[in-house]
Amino acid sequence: MRTNQFLIKSISIFSFVLLVFTSCSSDDSTDSSDDGGDDEVLVTNVDASFFTTSDGSVTITTVPCTLSDGTSTDCYQIVTSSIPTDHTLGPWCPDNISDDASAGGIWLEDGLVYDVDGAFVENLATFYNDDNWLMYDGNGDIYITETEDDCINAANPNVSEAYENFCVECLPSYITDLTQTWLIPISPVLQNTGVFFATGPGGPANTAPSTRGIALNGIEFSAPAPVDNILGAYTLAPFDDAGGHINVNQGYHYHAATGFSTKIEQTDGHASLIGYALDGHGIYELEDSEGNSPTDLDTYRGHTDDTRGYHYHVDAAGNNNFINGLKGAYAI
C-alpha cells in the first residue's frame, strides 16, 4: 500500500477561488487589433497579478521577445516549479480492485470522465472489449509502477512487455528539481488567420507549439494525452481529480480542466479565467456562473466580448483537450 503524502485526495478544501473585480476599460490593459474584418477586435493584456507568485512557485519577469508574425515586443517569462501549490496531487492508481473512487484518479474516454476506482480497473477487459486487460493479481492487488525507473519505462511510447497491464503512477518526488519556462506576449497580437495545433482537434500538422497555455498556478495546459499509445501497451496512466499527471521530463501537467486550479471569477457572471494561452489571450472555463456554455466559439474555441476582448473557452473535460489552436501570434 502507498503512504506517500502526495496521494491524499482533496476535492474542495485545497482548491480556491480568487475573487477579483476587474475592469478592462483602462488604457494600459487593453488594445485593439484588426481580426481581418471590418471591426477592430478588443484584446486584453495579460495580468501578471493573477498568477500564484506569492509562494515562490511561479516567478514572472518581463523580457524582449519576437512573435511568430515577426512582431518585436515584450513577453512575460514565466518560470514554474512544475508542482502546483493551490491543490494536492494524486492519487492516480488504486491499490486493489475493492478500492472506491477516493483511492484513484480519473480517466477520459469518448467525452466522458470516469473514476479510476477498483471496479474500473477490474472491468477494463469489458470496458475496452479486449480480454488482454488484466491489471491485478489473484488477490485483487493492482500492478502499479513503484519506482522512478518504472515510471520512465512504462511511460515510454515503446513499452516493453514487462510493463504491460500496469497502472502508471509517477510521483511528485521524481520532479522536485524540475522547472519549466514559458514565454507569452504581454499584449496579444491577433492574426487574420490563426494556427491549429498539430495534435488534437483542429487542422493539419504545423509548427505551432504543442502546449496550449499556462494555468494561473503555472502548470501547463498540455496537448491531448496520447491515449492510443497508452492503451496499446495495456497500460493506464490515470489523471488525478484535477486532470493532471506527471512525467519526469514534462513535470506535472493538465490534460483537462476540472475546476481545481486557481481561477478569477468575473463580476458579470462570465466563466472564470483559469489561465492564458501561449498567444496571451485568456483561457476561461467552459461554463458561466449559471452553467451555460458559449455557442458562438470559432474553430480555435475562441470568441470576443466587450469586457474581455478575444479569449478562449476550454473544451469539456472528457474530451482530453483544452483549445484547438492559437488565433494570436506566439513567442518563438
Side-chain angles (χ1 to χ4, degrees):
M1 300 290 289
R2 296 160 295 158
T3 59
N4 191 296
Q5 62 177 336
F6 290 97
L7 302 181
I8 301 174
K9 176 171 292 185
S10 173
I11 298 296
S12 61
I13 295 177
F14 293 94
S15 64
F16 61 95
V17 174
L18 298 179
L19 298 176
V20 176
F21 294 86
T22 61
S23 171
C24 297
S25 60
S26 61
D27 290 341
D28 61 352
S29 64
T30 63
D31 195 1
S32 295
S33 297
D34 188 353
D35 193 26
D38 295 331
D39 299 325
E40 288 188 331
V41 178
L42 177 72
V43 295
T44 305
N45 287 359
V46 176
D47 192 330
S49 70
F50 292 159
F51 287 87
T52 58
T53 58
S54 60
D55 59 10
S57 62
V58 178
T59 59
I60 301 177
T61 55
T62 300
V63 298
C65 60
T66 301
L67 305 185
S68 55
D69 68 342
T71 298
S72 295
T73 187
D74 285 334
C75 283
Y76 283 134
Q77 179 174 272
I78 301 172
V79 181
T80 173
S81 66
S82 293
I83 296 178
T85 57
D86 54 356
H87 65 80
T88 56
L89 279 66
W92 291 277
C93 300
D95 292 309
N96 190 278
I97 59 174
S98 65
D99 287 342
D100 62 21
S102 66
I106 59 175
W107 188 244
L108 315 176
E109 185 73 34
D110 292 334
L112 299 177
V113 178
Y114 294 88
D115 283 322
V116 180
D117 53 14
F120 182 84
V121 174
E122 182 181 15
N123 293 301
L124 280 170
T126 300
F127 188 79
Y128 285 113
N129 193 28
D130 186 341
D131 290 338
N132 288 316
W133 284 97
L134 186 61
M135 199 176 286
Y136 57 93
D137 63 19
N139 296 318
D141 291 327
I142 296 168
Y143 304 124
I144 304 172
T145 55
E146 295 182 350
T147 67
E148 183 173 352
D149 284 342
D150 286 342
C151 159
I152 294 170
N153 292 331
N156 190 308
N158 300 312
V159 180
S160 68
E161 291 185 5
Y163 289 98
E164 288 186 358
N165 270 306
F166 265 77
C167 193
V168 181
E169 186 170 76
C170 300
L171 303 179
S173 59
Y174 304 161
I175 58 168
T176 54
D177 296 326
L178 182 66
T179 60
Q180 300 281 11
T181 300
W182 313 103
L183 287 177
I184 56 174
I186 298 173
S187 299
V189 179
L190 275 172
Q191 303 295 290
N192 291 337
T193 302
V195 60
F196 289 107
F197 296 118
T199 56
N206 51 62
T207 57
S210 62
T211 295
R212 276 49 178 159
I214 311 164
L216 297 178
N217 60 8
I219 299 303
E220 176 186 357
F221 289 141
S222 187
V227 173
D228 289 344
N229 289 342
I230 295 170
L231 299 178
Y234 297 103
T235 58
L236 194 71
F239 317 102
D240 61 16
D241 281 352
H245 61 186
I246 291 170
N247 71 45
V248 296
N249 297 312
Q250 196 175 2
Y252 180 82
H253 55 282
Y254 296 122
H255 288 289
T258 60
F260 277 65
S261 63
T262 296
K263 62 182 73 174
I264 306 297
E265 288 190 346
Q266 307 295 290
T267 58
D268 59 359
H270 184 277
S272 297
L273 177 74
I274 58 173
Y276 288 95
L278 288 191
D279 61 5
H281 293 295
I283 297 179
Y284 291 77
E285 291 185 310
L286 178 59
E287 296 181 346
D288 64 18
S289 61
E290 296 183 352
N292 299 313
S293 301
T295 59
D296 61 343
L297 298 181
D298 61 24
T299 53
Y300 311 102
R301 296 197 60 80
H303 67 173
T304 301
D305 67 33
D306 292 336
T307 300
R308 286 150 287 270
Y310 186 83
H311 61 278
Y312 302 103
H313 287 265
V314 294
D315 208 344
N319 289 333
N320 185 22
N321 183 53
F322 290 100
I323 59 176
N324 298 341
L326 298 175
K327 190 67 172 69
Y330 51 90
I332 57 175

